[in-house]
Short mmCIF file of all heavy atoms in Angstrom, two decimals:
data_model
loop_
_atom_site.label_atom_id
_atom_site.label_comp_id
_atom_site.label_asym_id
_atom_site.label_seq_id
_atom_site.Cartn_x
_atom_site.Cartn_y
_atom_site.Cartn_z
N ILE A 104 1.02 30.09 -7.25
CA ILE A 104 -0.09 29.20 -6.90
C ILE A 104 -1.27 30.02 -6.36
O ILE A 104 -2.42 29.79 -6.73
CB ILE A 104 0.38 28.13 -5.89
CG1 ILE A 104 1.39 27.20 -6.58
CG2 ILE A 104 -0.81 27.34 -5.34
CD1 ILE A 104 2.10 26.26 -5.63
N ARG A 105 -0.99 31.00 -5.50
CA ARG A 105 -2.04 31.88 -4.99
C ARG A 105 -2.70 32.63 -6.14
O ARG A 105 -3.93 32.72 -6.22
CB ARG A 105 -1.45 32.88 -3.98
CG ARG A 105 -2.49 33.85 -3.40
CD ARG A 105 -1.86 35.03 -2.70
NE ARG A 105 -0.87 35.75 -3.48
CZ ARG A 105 -1.14 36.56 -4.52
NH1 ARG A 105 -2.38 36.75 -4.90
NH2 ARG A 105 -0.17 37.18 -5.16
N GLN A 106 -1.89 33.15 -7.05
CA GLN A 106 -2.42 33.88 -8.19
C GLN A 106 -3.29 32.98 -9.07
O GLN A 106 -4.35 33.40 -9.54
CB GLN A 106 -1.27 34.48 -9.01
CG GLN A 106 -1.72 35.36 -10.14
CD GLN A 106 -0.55 35.94 -10.92
OE1 GLN A 106 0.61 35.65 -10.67
NE2 GLN A 106 -0.88 36.76 -11.90
N ALA A 107 -2.86 31.74 -9.29
CA ALA A 107 -3.65 30.80 -10.08
C ALA A 107 -5.01 30.56 -9.42
O ALA A 107 -6.04 30.51 -10.09
CB ALA A 107 -2.90 29.48 -10.25
N GLY A 108 -5.02 30.43 -8.10
CA GLY A 108 -6.28 30.24 -7.38
C GLY A 108 -7.20 31.44 -7.50
O GLY A 108 -8.41 31.29 -7.70
N GLU A 109 -6.63 32.63 -7.40
CA GLU A 109 -7.44 33.85 -7.54
C GLU A 109 -8.02 33.95 -8.95
O GLU A 109 -9.18 34.34 -9.12
CB GLU A 109 -6.59 35.08 -7.23
CG GLU A 109 -6.25 35.22 -5.76
CD GLU A 109 -5.26 36.35 -5.47
OE1 GLU A 109 -4.79 37.01 -6.43
OE2 GLU A 109 -4.95 36.55 -4.28
N LEU A 110 -7.21 33.63 -9.96
CA LEU A 110 -7.69 33.67 -11.34
C LEU A 110 -8.80 32.64 -11.57
O LEU A 110 -9.79 32.91 -12.26
CB LEU A 110 -6.54 33.45 -12.32
CG LEU A 110 -5.52 34.59 -12.40
CD1 LEU A 110 -4.27 34.15 -13.14
CD2 LEU A 110 -6.14 35.82 -13.05
N ALA A 111 -8.65 31.45 -10.97
CA ALA A 111 -9.68 30.41 -11.10
C ALA A 111 -11.00 30.88 -10.48
O ALA A 111 -12.07 30.71 -11.08
CB ALA A 111 -9.20 29.12 -10.45
N TYR A 112 -10.93 31.47 -9.29
CA TYR A 112 -12.14 32.00 -8.67
C TYR A 112 -12.73 33.14 -9.49
O TYR A 112 -13.95 33.29 -9.58
CB TYR A 112 -11.88 32.47 -7.24
CG TYR A 112 -11.84 31.36 -6.22
CD1 TYR A 112 -10.91 31.36 -5.20
CD2 TYR A 112 -12.76 30.30 -6.25
CE1 TYR A 112 -10.87 30.36 -4.24
CE2 TYR A 112 -12.72 29.30 -5.30
CZ TYR A 112 -11.78 29.33 -4.31
OH TYR A 112 -11.75 28.33 -3.37
N GLY A 113 -11.87 33.95 -10.09
CA GLY A 113 -12.36 35.04 -10.95
C GLY A 113 -13.13 34.51 -12.15
O GLY A 113 -14.16 35.08 -12.53
N ILE A 114 -12.65 33.42 -12.73
CA ILE A 114 -13.35 32.80 -13.86
C ILE A 114 -14.70 32.26 -13.38
O ILE A 114 -15.72 32.43 -14.05
CB ILE A 114 -12.48 31.71 -14.50
CG1 ILE A 114 -11.29 32.36 -15.22
CG2 ILE A 114 -13.30 30.84 -15.47
CD1 ILE A 114 -10.22 31.39 -15.65
N ALA A 115 -14.73 31.63 -12.22
CA ALA A 115 -15.99 31.12 -11.67
C ALA A 115 -16.98 32.27 -11.42
O ALA A 115 -18.16 32.16 -11.76
CB ALA A 115 -15.73 30.35 -10.38
N ASP A 116 -16.49 33.36 -10.85
CA ASP A 116 -17.34 34.53 -10.62
C ASP A 116 -17.90 35.06 -11.95
O ASP A 116 -19.08 35.41 -12.05
CB ASP A 116 -16.58 35.65 -9.92
CG ASP A 116 -16.23 35.34 -8.48
OD1 ASP A 116 -16.83 34.42 -7.90
OD2 ASP A 116 -15.31 36.01 -7.95
N LEU A 117 -17.05 35.11 -12.97
CA LEU A 117 -17.46 35.61 -14.28
C LEU A 117 -18.55 34.73 -14.88
O LEU A 117 -19.54 35.23 -15.42
CB LEU A 117 -16.24 35.67 -15.21
CG LEU A 117 -16.52 36.15 -16.63
CD1 LEU A 117 -16.96 37.61 -16.61
CD2 LEU A 117 -15.27 35.98 -17.48
#
Side-chain angles (χ1 to χ4, degrees):
I104 293 170
R105 180 195 52 73
Q106 185 180 3
E109 289 173 358
L110 291 167
Y112 280 140
I114 290 168
D116 290 343
L117 179 66

